[in-house]
Amino acid sequence: MDNPSRRRMLLAGGALGAMGALSAASPASARSLWTWSPAGSVAGAGAGVDPEWVWDDEADPVLAAVIERGDVPNVNRLLKQWTRNDQPLPDGLPGDVREFMEYARRMPSWADRTKLDRASKFSKTKGIYVGALYGLGSGMLSTAIPREARAVYYSKGGADMKDRIAKTAKLGYDVGDLYAYLPQGSMIVTTVKTRMVHAAVRHLLPQSPSWPQTSGGQTIPISQADILVTWHSLATFVMRKLKDWGVKVSTADADAYLHVWQVTAHMLGVRDEYIPVSWDAANAQSKQVLDPILARTDEGEALTEVLLDIVAEIDAGLTRPLISVFSRYTLSDRVGDMIGLSREPLLQPLIATAWPLLVAFREGLISFPVIPGIAWTLEEAIRRFVLLFLSEASPIAIDIPDMNRPS
């Protein structure tokens, strides 16, 4: 018998031959044919099915049913009461939702508490770098990922990007929180709710009159391949940049940081056979699924502009050129051009010189350096950005959508 994911693809696409046609038309076709071995995963084995054709057979039917019967407002109202990992689920949840959530909230058997604790301490120690890379690196990089940019733009969250960014930032904040996966933390809550949002978007987005015209032939959004792309734009990208910048990261800290993201992938519904077991395996997978698919889209450029406008709110736009240049420096000129970041001929060489000196000074690699004043201005701008989006200044509710972008 066909596996559920394959059956679902056939139902959506209409025929087995559609697999080749859709793959050829999809932005993801820019990546190499899936050859990554499940031997390099935390499971150590697997069927080796291309994650391009795997979604979430556990969450998807539940959320589709919730939407179709008009239960979203009630479920969202109840879910606002669930904020800590150790809380029981609220009374009154529909039976199918409760059953799914009780299953989805369970940690994987291979989760290592010692590594998770170490990861939270590492995130605090390197917070300024990690926060900058999440917000001004990964956040901007997401607009160069065609499917992600379009899924965000045409979904309900695309109409209120500040709220959308705050909710995405909550994932970054919670994964690095000292109590992330401890009973008093909230990372389990965040991942389960995010997984439910993904399932809702899979049901809703194909109904948007705009999305099918720009989906590149993808009939069901947010495949496991798409989640892996986003995972690498966060975890793998951040670790790669920390090393590029010369930030001191011990082997134990690097392993712990990988582990918290491995657990997070599992909690978001990614199959264990796709979750890299090591940084070598992660980098190999990233080169196959992320690096080749980066491209310019109208939606990506529009979202970049919105992101920069939000950053500009911090200081009435005074440091917007600085933030734009820092993102370009972090992502490369190639990606900067894809997403429409401005070129600043005077600022670019200054940042390229000043930032490495500042990192080296902060890491104790050089003493009494002559650091240009612009480096301290940039650091303060980044710090304010991190405090704005990666803090708990105001409660952030992750709600299940019941509609697409209302335009």
Side-chain angles (χ1 to χ4, degrees), residues 63-294:
L63 271 297
V66 169
I67 293 169
E68 289 302 312
R69 65 179 180 244
D71 236 351
V72 172
N74 178 52
V75 171
N76 279 336
R77 178 181 59 81
L78 293 170
L79 289 185
K80 282 182 170 63
Q81 304 170 27
W82 188 48
T83 58
R84 282 176 45 128
N85 297 334
D86 59 355
Q87 279 182 288
L89 296 179
D91 292 335
L93 282 172
D96 54 351
V97 175
R98 175 178 293 277
E99 183 180 3
F100 166 73
M101 292 180 67
E102 290 290 11
Y103 164 79
R105 71 186 297 184
R106 290 183 293 182
M107 297 274 284
S109 60
W110 44 264
D112 185 321
R113 177 59 57 195
T114 301
K115 287 185 177 181
L116 292 175
D117 290 345
R118 188 176 187 114
S120 66
K121 294 179 177 66
F122 169 74
S123 293
K124 294 300 180 187
T125 303
K126 305 299 182 183
I128 184 66
Y129 306 126
V130 174
L133 287 169
Y134 281 155
L136 302 175
S138 300
M140 292 294 187
L141 182 61
S142 69
T143 67
I145 300 172
R147 285 185 179 175
E148 184 167 347
R150 286 165 172 156
V152 169
Y153 187 87
Y154 292 113
S155 64
K156 186 177 181 180
D160 186 350
M161 278 303 295
K162 189 167 187 178
D163 180 69
R164 172 68 165 74
I165 292 167
K167 289 173 180 176
T168 301
K170 180 171 174 59
L171 181 71
Y173 176 86
D174 288 346
V175 77
D177 185 68
L178 191 61
Y179 304 114
Y181 283 106
L182 291 176
Q184 66 269 45
S186 57
M187 192 57 189
I188 292 175
V189 174
T190 297
T191 53
V192 172
K193 288 183 179 180
T194 300
R195 184 176 177 183
M196 294 169 73
V197 169
H198 287 168
V201 171
R202 287 189 199 97
H203 181 71
L204 290 167
L205 199 53
Q207 302 173 31
S208 165
S210 301
W211 184 78
Q213 302 168 28
T214 58
S215 67
Q218 188 182 38
T219 55
I220 304 173
I222 317 181
S223 68
Q224 298 250 315
D226 293 326
I227 298 176
L228 289 171
V229 166
T230 301
W231 190 90
H232 286 296
S233 75
L234 290 158
T236 310
F237 170 79
V238 167
M239 184 53 63
R240 188 182 299 167
K241 293 309 298 186
L242 288 175
K243 292 187 175 182
D244 288 348
W245 284 353
V247 176
K248 290 189 291 188
V249 181
S250 69
T251 300
D253 282 341
D255 289 346
Y257 183 74
L258 174 63
H259 189 66
V260 75
W261 277 106
Q262 289 169 331
V263 171
T264 299
H266 175 96
M267 297 300 289
L268 289 171
V270 177
R271 295 184 181 181
D272 287 356
E273 69 175 273
Y274 298 132
I275 303 173
V277 71
S278 66
W279 281 118
D280 285 344
N283 283 315
Q285 190 184 85
S286 179
K287 288 177 182 177
Q288 184 170 115
V289 302
L290 172 62
D291 298 358
I293 59 97
L294 299 176

Side-chain angles (χ1 to χ4, degrees), residues 321-335:
L322 202 58
I323 292 298
S324 181
V325 169
F326 179 75
S327 290
R328 178 178 281 274
Y329 166 75
T330 302
L331 298 174
S332 77
D333 279 334
R334 172 175 167 264
V335 176

